[in-house]
Structure formats: C-alpha cells, structure tokens
Amino acid sequence: TTPKIACGLSTYVQVRERLKKDVAQMKTQDPNFQPGLVVLQVGDRDDSNLYISMKLKAAAEIGINATHLRLPKTATEDEVLHSIMEVNENSAIHGLIVQLPLDSIHKIDTEKVTNVVAPEKDVDGLTCINAGKLSRGDLGDCFIPCTPNGCMELIRQTGVSVAGKRAVVIGRSKIVGAPMHDLLLWNHATVTTCHSKTADLAAEVGRADILVVGIGKAEMVKGDWVKKGAVVIDCGINHIPDETRPSGKRVVGDVHYSSVKEQAGFITPVPGGVGPMTVAMLMQNTVLSAKRFLESHQPGKWSITYTKLILQKPVPSDIVISRSCVPKPIDRLATEVGLLSDEVELYGKTKAKVQLDIISRLRAQPDGKYVVVTGITPTPLGEGKSTTTIGLVQALGAHMKLNVFACVRQPSQGPTFGIKGGAAGGGYSQVIPMEEFNLHLTGDIHAITAANNLVAAAIDARLFHEATQTDKALYNRLVPLSGGQRTFSPIQINRLMRLGIEKTDPTTLTEEEITRFARLDMDPDSITWHRVIDTNDRFLRKITIGQSPTEKGHTREAQFSITVASEIMAVLALTSSLKDMRQRLAKMVVATSRSGQPITTEDLGVSGALTVLMRDAIKPNLMQTLEGTPVFVHAGPFANIAHGNSSVLADKIALKLVGPEGFVVTEAGFGADIGMEKFFNIKCRYSGLRPHVVVLVATVRALKMHGGGPTVTAGMALPKEYVEENLELLEKGCSNMRKQVENARHFGVPVVVAVNAFKTDTESELDLICTLAKEVGAFDAVRCSHWAEGGAGAVALGQAVQRASEAPSDFKFLYDVELPIADKIRIIAQKIYGADDIELLPDAQHKVERFFVYMFCIKPICLSFKKTVWRMPTIPGLPTRPCFYDIDLDPETEQVNGLF
C-alpha cells in the first residue's frame, strides 16, 4: 500500500491562514496592536541567515512585525545578554528567538543565554521554565518547542489518535527528542525514548505505532525496522553526496525514505515535511504570546489586591498610621493597574515614574469617569479636601471594587518645614509613604528650581553683556568662530525667523540686522521673572542683586518666589506632551524691551535647555494609598497665584488606565471659588476633558466659622461654639456652602456635598448640612468618616458619586475666551464672587492694554489673590516656631520623625 505523505507545506499554509485571521482579530480589539518578533543572531553564518530569512518571510505573510537583530562575531556574552534583556523589557515584542549556534569569537554559554529570555517571550520554548512546565504537563501554560509542536500538528493531520498508541522517539536533544517525549506522553501515548546507548534499536522501532526520529544520522532508520502502517515523522536534515545535483549533494532525513515508505501508513518527506512546520509553530507561538499579552493588558482590566486596614481608636498620628501599613512594591502596583514594565521607571520600592509612551498605546481606549474634589472657602480649621480625595478613592477601589486613580499635587517643602507640616491626606486616608510624598519625591520640584533659575541667570547675564559690549562684539560672542566659520544654532535661527530675517549664514547679516538680532534691549524695570527656592524664606521677598565688584555696578532690585509659584510649574501642570512643553516653555515672557516688545525664553536662547532639565519631571509619579489604590502625584502650582491643580498628563493617563467604568478623582486647590473655577476654565479648557461630578467638601466647624464663629488661635483650645451643638450659627455659615454649590452648578456638573465629620459634630448638625445642601441644588449630600475609618467611612460618598456620574450633565465654560480681558474678569467676579461690577486700577488697566498688544487677550483668565493692598508675596515666611523643630532623623533606623 502506498503511504500517505504528511506534507508540512500544505499544513503550513493552513496554519498561516489561521494565524492571519487571528492577527486581524487582534487588530479589531486594538487597531494599533501588532504582534512583534525579534530574531537575535550572533555572527553571519550562511545556514543561520537562510533559516532567519524563512522566519522573517513567514512573519511578514502573517502580519507579525519581525525584526532581525544581528550582533557581530565580536559580541561578548555580556553584550548578548544585554541585548536580550532589552528585548525582554520591550512591550512591543512578544516573541524572542536566539538563533543557534552563537557564532562568536568569544566563549558564550548557550544555556545561560537561552535562559535569560523572558519565559513569556520564549517562543522557541527552550528556557528551563518552559521546558519544566512541559515536562510536568502544564501544556496550556508554556511554549512548546517548535519542532516537536510541528510534529504533533502533522500527526493530528493524519487523523491518527495519539492516545493509547505506542510511540518511539529516537534522540533526546533538548530541542527535539526530550520535549517530543513529553508532548507525546501528555497526549496519552506510551512513550519510549531511544538514543545511542539503546540496545536493539530496531526491535524498539518495530513496536512503534508512531515513530519520531531526530538523531542527526543520514537515513539511519531502514524500512524493515518499521511496523506496518506506522506514522513516521522524520526531523532529520542531513547532506549526502549526489553527483547528479549541481551542488554535488542532496538533503535527506534520518529515515531511509524509499524503504520506509513501503511500510509506513504516513510519512513526512525531507525536505517539505517537518521543516515548514517548525516555522509555522514558531509563528503560532508568537501569535499566542501576543494574544496572551493583549488579554492580560486590556485597558481597564485590573487584577489588583488591596491592603486591609487595621483601625485603632483613638486614631494615631498620621505618621504612625503611615508606618503601620507596608506598601505594596510599586512595580507590582504598576502591573496590577495595566502598566507595562518598560513604561515604568522605578525610584526605589515605593515610587515610580510613568513614561509618556503609554498615551500612544492607550489612545484608542475610552476614558473613565472624571471627578474633581473641591471645598467651601478655606478656614484655619481645615476642611479636609485631600483627606476626602484619598478616602473617596479608597472607598471606590478597596470597598466598591471599581478601578480608581487619585491624581493629586506634589506638596512644596516650604510649608512642610514651615507652618503647615506634611500634606498627604490624613488619618486612615493617606498617600504613603508619607515621608517620600512630602520630601523630595522624584526631584520634580528641584528640576523646576534649576530650570527657573537658569532663566533668571540668563536674564541678568544678558543685561550685563549688552550693557558692556558693542553690537559687533556682542554678535561675535553670540555666534562665535568654530573651525574658522560662524554658525547659527537652531534656536538662533528661530529668533531670526521671528525677526523676519530669512538668513542662515551669519556673514550675510547687515549691521542693522546684527543689532536687532544681538540686542534684546531689555527694560530692567519690566522684568517679571523671579528666582525661586522651595523654602519659606521671607527675607528673599525683596533683594538687591549684582553687588559684587565684578558686575561693574549693574545692580537691580529683585525677588524670590517659592518654586511652586514658578511659571514653569504651571507649564508642567498644563502640558500635554514633550513637544507641547517645549513650545510652552519657549513662549514664556520674562520682560519687555525698551520699545515695548515681549521678550521670551526663546529670545534668551534658553528654552531648549529648560526642556532638557524638565524631561524627567514631565513624567507622572506613581504612589499608593493606605489601602493599596494607585495615586498619581504630579505638579503642584499654587492656587492663589497659578491655577492650583495637578497635571493634565496624570489625569489623561489615569482616565485611560481605569477604563470606561472606572473613576479618576483629582483635587482643586483652595475653595471652589478659586481652585474649582480655575480647574474648569483653565485646566479643562486646555485638556479637553469634561468632568462628571464635583465633590464639595464641608465641615461643621468651618461652616460655623463662616457663620460668624469666634477666631481660632493656633495652639489654643477651640472655642465652645465649635465643639458644642449650635444649629443657628451653622445655618448662617451654610450660606458659604450654598454659594459654592451654586458656583459648581454654573458649569453644568452634578455636585455631591461630602460632609467631613468630626467626633464633636452632632447628628442634628450633620443632618442640617445635608438637608440644606440638597435644597440648594446638590445632587446628594452625605456624611463621611474616612479620616477615622479609611475607605469604609466614605462608601456612602462613593455610591453617591457613582450615581451622580450617571446623571445628565451639561458642562459649559463660564466665559468665552474671545471676550475682552475686562469682560472675562467681570464674569468671574459677578458669577463666582457675587460682585456687582469690577474696577480696574491704573496699573491693572496698563497690564490689560499690554496683554492686548502681546496677543494674550484670547487666553483664559487666571486671577491671583492677595490679603493686602501691597504686592502679593510669592514666597511664604517662617513662623516663630516652624515645623522643622520637630523633624529629625533616627541615625540607627534612618527613619524620619516629626513630619506630622
């Protein structure tokens, strides 16, 4: 009987077409997704090149993005290992093949190299982990080596059932024989492995219903060895002399084909049998790896564990609570919320930065629900906005099992060591570790300090050099000779273009053009740029600079601000990408010329350097709450000076990560009249994001103060009005809450009032606030006890927020940016602050006119507030007894004490 040919080529075509459909299906889930494969080769062997070209061709036919990574013969073992680890970390690559042999002039441990490949990318199935899983029968949780897998596919194509059959495998290599034995065994065959020491090999072969040969000896297995009707799979590739061929040789297998085919029921040819199936299975493993990746990294599909709180009463200090909870390793949290390993930069065990590439990966995914937490007008008693923000996300995540991110500002170190102390929430609703949160974090504020002060240095240096040099000397130093010629830098060419000078050769400028280019002609009295420091230091509010004799009498009055008041901080908070940040930094106006023209950092030639200093600061910082929910800590502009909100980038990334049913909760600084108004009119205008819910935080004590309660003195016991029931005083103060609810509703967003309860509050007082809040238009009003109970104390708030997020909303801005500046100020004053009208003093009117000339008139308005008629101090001072009196480090444990 003529045997049936188990043709690998025809089976390969079937597998290829199936895999093409699988890839197309993955693209319907994510149009930007494509399976990725890297073939790493050391050296330049002709046979390896041939095999690699076949793999690359097959990958292209299926739709796999395959890359040939070729290392030279001089590559060392360390270089090979480094290349593999780089591919391991690349989330766009789902399969990695190390082409063997490694053709290097150096000694390389093949076993070591093979086992460095990440098991989840080991599509050759050669790592110890995948081999171990196969040997244990975990076929669904490993990659099966491609040649044995191809053999099994050919056996399946014959229609012969493996279960119960006697199988013989000749050869015990790690690539073919050993895994083939395991594969047949776990498909329920009775398997015998034969090798060079096997006695009476022919007799063993004669008992096989299924025979797989991979011994590497040409035509070793003869026809009279083979059982009649057996399935014969020949894995061998050997060359024997053949004078009839132009090459003088031909390819044969380990089986004597002409004699064995007379006995076999099915037989694979060589070539055209197992070879094409090895390539097919390699492609199949790559597609399988890509499927697993896509399945495990679906946006919004989190596998997160929460940290259980052990509540104590009375509630300990914030720092004691923070240290009582062991945070999850930050890389684990990153994985839980869908971040890839190459999207995360670890800063120790408890904090990390997130790469902006994630925005591109998730751009097709729908956003989650967007919630902003704000408060009534602040009082010295505190309302607990940050604590409520964290309590709410702990409730939504750990207790309601919803995907949720908190996005908060990074605190300045000035208040930390000054009068306020730490700022990470409070009680059982905190960001942890508290020390990391309140101190340097990942250095973003320091980067802003460096960038800001580089601008300040550039301003004064330029003033000095222009005052002490002729036009020609200034020009020659700005465009110095190098190698006998002068060349403009790219930033200088940008300046020439803005001046309307369309020249790129420094030698062609006229004298008039040289003067225009070289001289900024800054008016020292117009300089608005301050130096900054992240410390409360009142004596830097007004200083004199340039007093050294080397400055030749070029002194001027100047001032410092605190770093978080820097315009660069505001830029960081509003930027949407590195490119956008570069453009925003370039447009910052630092002064005007004597002719009234605005002078920017781009004119100073410093904007590119600023971007370099800020390149890491632009990446959001990942931390966690006490209950293990994720937090982005990023940017921290002052609310009374700048817009007082955390970064747009953090919000955008978080909204993609949580998925359409998840929540992102962010906090606006100060009260709703300042921080929330700027959140809507500035942040949302630039981000394009539309909030679903406003959470307005109020307390009984603060509302009593708004009702006319007595003054509170730091360090003294609270007056009885704040610790005893007083409904009349409370109701008077609720007028502030009423106005803030009204302010939020101006923007068309549902408002939930969160009443942050204290132990001295009575039921009647809490009920009164909730009742009045609903009467004035709040969607709901609920009491919260998250400070004492963590997320469990804010579940009612979380449920109200969830309901409100599903309610109809009609978001709208308060004003049209096209309106004149005075009209925009008037709208804010009348609608948010209840003013009858505004009056612009001469200095303000002059600024409005100047902004009109600068073309700043079509921007949102950011109002700054001051307590007196004098110029607003933009750097706080230290009190008589600053917080630093209590802060110290234990030299034995390296533990920070006294933060809060």
Side-chain angles (χ1 to χ4, degrees):
T1 302
T2 303
K4 294 180 180 177
I5 306 301
C7 180
L9 290 171
S10 60
T11 307
Y12 167 81
V13 171
Q14 295 172 25
V15 173
R16 181 188 68 191
E17 295 307 306
R18 171 168 53 80
L19 295 179
K20 285 168 72 173
K21 291 178 181 177
D22 288 346
V23 172
Q25 176 61 33
M26 283 188 272
K27 280 195 166 291
T28 62
Q29 292 178 250
D30 183 351
N32 302 310
F33 185 80
Q34 185 177 17
L37 173 67
V38 166
V39 184
L40 186 148
Q41 177 187 14
V42 179
D44 194 28
R45 285 174 57 120
D46 290 339
D47 55 348
S48 292
N49 290 336
L50 176 62
Y51 298 144
I52 290 170
S53 67
M54 292 167 56
K55 294 166 184 174
L56 297 178
K57 181 175 181 291
E61 290 173 344
I62 291 167
I64 296 170
N65 180 27
T67 303
H68 183 189
L69 177 56
R70 192 198 302 268
L71 301 180
K73 292 185 70 168
T74 56
T76 64
E77 182 176 278
D78 284 345
E79 289 170 339
V80 175
L81 295 175
H82 177 74
S83 295
I84 291 173
M85 286 187 282
E86 280 192 333
V87 175
N88 285 346
E89 292 297 311
N90 187 341
S91 59
I93 304 301
H94 310 102
L96 170 57
I97 305 163
V98 178
Q99 185 69 42
L100 302 177
L102 299 169
D103 183 25
S104 173
I105 62 173
H106 302 287
K107 183 179 179 181
I108 296 180
D109 185 340
T110 300
E111 185 76 6
K112 182 178 180 181
V113 165
T114 301
N115 279 298
V116 170
V117 176
E120 67 273 14
K121 298 187 179 187
D122 173 30
V123 290
D124 257 340
L126 300 181
T127 62
C128 290
I129 290 177
N130 278 316
K133 288 182 176 181
L134 174 59
S135 70
R136 292 176 52 179
D138 298 333
L139 273 59
D141 188 34
C142 70
F143 286 114
I144 299 168
C146 301
T147 297
N149 208 9
C151 293
M152 285 300 298
E153 186 64 32
L154 288 169
I155 295 169
R156 291 189 195 97
Q157 292 294 325
T158 68
V160 174
S161 173
V162 175
K165 297 294 191 297
R166 184 179 294 274
V168 171
V169 178
I170 303 179
R172 54 183 173 180
S173 72
K174 295 177 182 178
I175 296 175
V176 180
M180 191 72 234
H181 173 280
D182 295 335
L183 200 50
L184 286 163
L185 178 67
W186 294 110
N187 278 276
H188 312 299
T190 301
V191 189
T192 300
T193 296
C194 299
H195 44 77
S196 60
K197 304 297 183 184
T198 299
D200 200 357
L201 180 60
E204 295 290 349
V205 171
R207 287 191 280 270
D209 301 311
I210 298 171
L211 175 64
V212 181
V213 187
I215 200 69
K217 293 187 177 181
E219 299 182 326
M220 186 188 74
V221 176
K222 304 298 190 288
D224 57 2
W225 294 12
V226 177
K227 182 179 180 180
K228 191 70 174 177
V231 176
V232 179
I233 307 294
D234 188 353
C235 301
I237 299 177
N238 308 283
H239 292 89
I240 62 172
D242 187 343
E243 295 179 356
T244 66
R245 302 292 177 91
S247 63
K249 57 185 178 181
R250 63 188 172 91
V251 177
V252 298
D254 292 349
V255 170
H256 190 271
Y257 186 80
S258 59
S259 63
V260 172
K261 74 176 183 178
E262 301 301 323
Q263 290 291 104
F266 295 88
I267 189 170
T268 58
V270 176
V274 173
M277 288 308 298
T278 298
V279 176
M281 293 301 102
L282 175 61
M283 299 302 116
Q284 179 171 286
N285 278 351
T286 303
V287 172
L288 174 60
S289 177
K291 279 183 178 178
R292 288 173 176 171
F293 175 87
L294 202 58
E295 176 65 24
S296 63
H297 292 88
Q298 289 181 16
K301 184 178 180 181
W302 291 7
S303 178
I304 187 169
T305 57
Y306 298 105
T307 307
K308 185 174 178 58
L309 293 178
I310 301 174
L311 304 178
Q312 296 182 43
K313 293 191 177 181
V315 177
S317 69
D318 290 351
I319 193 69
V320 168
I321 293 172
S322 176
R323 289 189 180 141
S324 71
C325 178
V326 178
K328 292 183 285 189
I330 202 67
D331 55 343
R332 177 177 141 201
L333 176 63
T335 300
E336 289 178 340
V337 300
L339 289 163
L340 308 181
S341 60
D342 58 338
E343 292 169 343
V344 178
E345 297 176 10
L346 301 180
Y347 280 66
K349 297 179 181 179
T350 58
K351 54 189 177 181
K353 277 194 168 291
V354 175
Q355 298 274 7
L356 302 189
D357 293 349
I358 190 175
I359 296 174
S360 176
R361 176 170 72 87
L362 300 179
R363 64 180 178 270
Q365 304 303 325
D367 287 347
K369 308 291 179 62
Y370 196 26
V371 180
V372 60
V373 176
T374 185
I376 59 173
T377 303
T379 69
L381 292 167
E383 290 64 58
K385 289 196 312 297
S386 298
T387 306
T388 302
T389 298
I390 303 306
L392 174 57
V393 297
Q394 290 180 173
L396 289 166
H399 300 271
M400 296 171 63
K401 309 307 179 189
L402 296 167
N403 294 349
V404 62
F405 246 100
C407 292
V408 299
R409 291 180 294 168
Q410 179 183 354
S412 164
Q413 286 183 177
T416 298
F417 291 100
I419 195 169
K420 184 179 178 184
Y428 285 103
S429 296
Q430 293 187 52
V431 180
I432 58 170
M434 185 184 183
E435 302 96 313
E436 302 284 358
F437 181 84
N438 282 292
L439 297 177
H440 306 284
L441 197 58
T442 57
D444 294 352
I445 290 180
H446 300 316
I448 292 166
T449 302
N452 184 100
N453 292 344
L454 180 61
V455 176
I459 291 169
D460 287 302
R462 191 60 174 262
L463 282 171
F464 174 79
H465 292 306
E466 287 191 21
T468 56
Q469 298 178 49
T470 65
D471 292 355
K472 189 66 175 177
L474 190 61
Y475 182 73
N476 288 342
R477 286 183 172 88
L478 287 170
V479 192
L481 276 172
S482 178
Q485 61 182 10
R486 301 183 191 276
T487 306
F488 289 125
S489 68
I491 203 166
Q492 289 177 322
I493 290 174
N494 291 344
R495 173 161 168 75
L496 287 167
M497 292 175 65
R498 289 196 305 279
L499 293 171
I501 303 172
E502 297 182 3
K503 296 179 180 179
T504 57
D505 183 351
T507 64
T508 62
L509 267 64
T510 66
E511 288 188 9
E512 185 267 341
E513 289 170 340
I514 286 174
T515 299
R516 290 174 58 208
F517 169 79
R519 289 204 176 273
L520 299 178
D521 197 27
M522 259 185 287
D523 178 359
D525 293 335
S526 73
I527 295 171
T528 56
W529 197 265
H530 304 160
R531 286 168 170 79
V532 298
I533 186 171
D534 197 32
T535 303
N536 290 6
D537 189 346
R538 67 189 312 124
F539 286 92
L540 294 177
R541 289 172 178 170
K542 187 175 182 180
I543 59 174
T544 302
I545 60 174
Q547 293 192 359
S548 168
T550 57
E551 307 336 305
K552 303 178 182 179
H554 293 283
T555 62
R556 70 178 183 90
E557 286 189 352
Q559 70 181 79
F560 270 76
S561 296
I562 196 161
T563 299
V564 290
S566 169
E567 187 172 348
I568 295 176
M569 176 64 88
V571 165
L572 175 65
L574 291 174
T575 196
S576 59
S577 66
L578 262 174
K579 181 180 179 181
D580 178 62
M581 183 174 72
R582 171 67 176 81
Q583 293 170 345
R584 289 177 182 273
L585 291 172
K587 293 176 181 177
M588 294 188 302
V589 174
V590 300
T592 59
S593 68
R594 296 181 194 278
S595 63
Q597 293 302 307
I599 296 171
T600 66
T601 55
E602 187 87 345
D603 293 315
L604 284 167
V606 74
S607 51
L610 300 182
T611 310
V612 171
L613 287 170
M614 294 293 293
R615 66 175 183 166
D616 290 323
I618 195 175
K619 304 166 191 173
N621 303 295
L622 179 66
M623 295 189 75
Q624 63 191 284
T625 68
L626 283 167
E627 297 193 54
T629 59
V631 180
F632 276 142
V633 185
H634 199 216
F638 267 13
N640 60 336
I641 298 171
H643 68 287
N645 286 268
S646 58
S647 78
V648 166
L649 277 170
D651 291 359
K652 285 189 169 183
I653 293 171
L655 284 164
K656 295 296 183 186
L657 286 171
V658 298
E661 301 305 315
F663 285 82
V664 171
V665 181
T666 189
E667 177 190 344
F670 276 66
D673 47 358
I674 300 180
M676 184 194 70
E677 181 270 316
K678 294 177 180 180
F679 170 82
F680 286 127
N681 282 323
I682 299 176
K683 185 177 182 180
C684 290
R685 200 184 295 267
Y686 281 116
S687 70
L689 300 174
R690 299 294 178 262
H692 294 77
V693 184
V694 171
V695 174
L696 181 71
V697 181
T699 64
V700 169
R701 300 190 307 182
L703 289 172
K704 285 179 176 178
M705 180 169 279
H706 285 303
T711 301
V712 174
T713 304
M716 302 292 289
L718 287 176
K720 64 181 180 62
E721 286 85 352
Y722 299 114
V723 295
E724 297 177 0
E725 185 174 287
N726 190 326
L727 297 178
E728 181 181 356
L729 186 62
L730 176 61
E731 186 168 3
K732 287 180 181 178
C734 281
S735 60
N736 185 274
M737 177 185 67
R738 183 183 305 112
K739 178 54 181 167
Q740 302 292 25
V741 170
E742 177 188 303
N743 287 343
R745 296 190 68 202
H746 281 313
F747 298 92
V749 180
V751 184
V752 174
V753 173
V755 185
N756 187 13
F758 287 75
K759 63 182 180 181
T760 55
D761 301 339
T762 68
E763 289 293 316
S764 297
E765 288 174 329
L766 295 170
D767 287 343
L768 177 63
I769 297 174
C770 292
T771 299
L772 293 177
K774 294 175 189 176
E775 287 179 358
V776 299
F779 176 88
D780 203 351
V782 293
R783 63 182 71 179
C784 313
S785 54
H786 44 273
W787 180 81
E789 299 175 17
V795 169
L797 176 60
Q799 292 168 340
V801 166
Q802 188 177 29
R803 291 194 304 271
S805 72
E806 296 165 356
S809 63
D810 181 28
F811 177 76
K812 52 187 176 293
F813 296 117
L814 197 63
Y815 54 80
D816 185 339
V817 291
E818 300 286 341
L819 290 172
I821 291 175
D823 288 353
K824 287 183 280 195
I825 296 173
R826 182 176 291 106
I827 290 171
I828 295 172
Q830 291 176 336
K831 291 193 174 181
I832 300 299
Y833 296 98
D836 293 326
D837 204 349
I838 63 167
E839 177 186 355
L840 294 180
L841 298 178
D843 185 45
Q845 183 62 48
H846 174 68
K847 286 184 179 179
V848 168
E849 292 166 0
R850 193 169 68 199
F851 290 163
F852 182 80
V853 173
Y854 295 171
M855 301 291 289
F856 290 172
C857 51
I858 54 172
K859 303 286 185 183
I861 291 293
C862 184
L863 296 180
S864 296
F865 296 85
K866 56 187 176 181
K867 296 180 180 178
T868 69
V869 295
W870 300 105
R871 188 177 184 86
M872 178 193 301
T874 53
I875 185 168
L878 290 173
T880 304
R881 191 187 188 283
C883 294
F884 61 63
Y885 273 83
D886 302 310
I887 298 173
D888 205 343
L889 185 74
D890 186 322
E892 298 296 327
T893 64
E894 297 187 11
Q895 181 172 284
V896 178
N897 297 319
L899 260 185
F900 197 62

